[in-house]
Amino acid sequence: MKTVAIGLLVGFIFIYHFDQQGQGKWKEEKLLYIVNSLEEMNASISEWSIYYRYPDRYIDSVANFREMERNLKNKYPDFQWVKDSDNDHHVTLTGKSNKNGNSEQVSLTMIKDEGRYKVLQTYSFTGEKWSPSEYLNLVKEIEIEDQKSLYFTVRADINEKKYLTLSDQAKEVLGDLSAEPVESLEEDDFISISAFKDTWSNYITTKSKEKINVQLGMRKNVDDGSINLTIGSPIITVEY
């Protein structure tokens, strides 16, 4: 009950962001909003994850990349590191950590681009036990530069409402999130819906150019009547 109470409290937290012009504005903290909504549905959260891709950068030399490598290894001293290189034309450095049911991964890639090098960097975290304080610390630690490049996914289990079809129950969940369905895929015991929440500024577009920033997947467990629920924003980044 203590964990749920903390989640409900933090679910109303709003984080203050500054836009590129230096003007401040309030933005709803998306992952906390999703978790808070799930807890109000009496869902049992089994996994949560974030994925962030840093803005692409360009450097002048391999020496610059090696300096970035040293900085990452100093920042994550407990990670196990592997480097895959192709004569300094394409180098990928990957660091991983698995402990206490959590997994973290950092990837740094350098690609030769004419007379300079393009650098790509990503960060991912997956945790089994939801912790709002751990999430907020992670967001601070990875130094997010662009909120639009931050992806969230939450897995949870909910009880089936036998008087509702799976499709209706999925739409009910989206209603609780104040998100409007855009497109869907439905099978006998599974449904996937892409939706749009207009109070969230980030989004991606479908092939038909429609905006989406919430994705939901629901799978019915015929053995015990439970439903495995996966929610991601702007899309789900794990298998479901």
Side-chain angles (χ1 to χ4, degrees), residues 94-118:
T94 304
K96 295 182 179 181
S97 172
N98 292 280
K99 58 183 180 180
N100 301 324
N102 300 331
S103 65
E104 286 182 271
Q105 179 171 309
V106 175
S107 177
L108 188 69
T109 301
M110 179 185 72
I111 304 170
K112 192 167 186 179
D113 187 359
E114 297 181 348
R116 56 182 182 167
Y117 298 90
K118 184 177 184 178

Side-chain angles (χ1 to χ4, degrees), residues 19-160:
D19 60 22
Q20 293 179 345
Q21 287 72 39
Q23 296 176 338
K25 55 186 177 181
W26 291 97
K27 291 184 179 179
E28 206 166 41
E29 227 306 328
K30 299 176 183 64
L31 181 57
L32 297 178
Y33 178 89
I34 290 172
V35 170
N36 181 66
S37 297
L38 288 173
E39 290 178 336
E40 289 180 342
M41 300 174 205
N42 294 317
S44 174
I45 296 171
S46 58
E47 183 181 283
W48 63 280
S49 64
I50 63 175
Y51 172 86
Y52 180 63
R53 175 170 172 167
Y54 291 83
D56 296 346
R57 287 168 283 180
Y58 286 89
I59 57 177
D60 297 324
S61 67
V62 176
N64 295 141
F65 183 81
R66 289 173 181 159
E67 182 179 359
M68 296 174 72
E69 176 182 347
R70 285 194 297 271
N71 290 337
L72 272 182
K73 288 181 176 180
N74 287 334
K75 185 174 182 178
Y76 301 102
D78 298 329
F79 279 29
Q80 299 296 315
W81 297 92
V82 176
K83 184 187 287 186
D84 181 20
S85 62
D86 179 15
N87 298 321
D88 290 336
H89 287 80
H90 188 125
V91 180
T92 297
L93 174 72
T94 304
K96 295 182 179 181
S97 172
N98 292 280
K99 58 183 180 180
N100 301 324
N102 300 331
S103 65
E104 286 182 271
Q105 179 171 309
V106 175
S107 177
L108 188 69
T109 301
M110 179 185 72
I111 304 170
K112 192 167 186 179
D113 187 359
E114 297 181 348
R116 56 182 182 167
Y117 298 90
K118 184 177 184 178
V119 178
L120 313 175
Q121 182 178 343
T122 63
Y123 171 88
S124 62
F125 174 94
T126 300
E128 293 179 354
K129 185 177 180 181
W130 166 245
S131 168
S133 59
E134 184 169 28
Y135 163 65
L136 293 174
N137 286 334
L138 281 175
V139 170
K140 182 179 179 180
E141 181 181 282
I142 62 180
E143 299 173 340
I144 294 170
E145 300 174 49
D146 181 8
Q147 284 284 328
K148 293 181 181 179
S149 296
L150 183 61
Y151 290 69
F152 312 102
T153 301
V154 182
R155 294 183 189 272
D157 296 314
I158 60 176
N159 293 323
E160 178 186 8

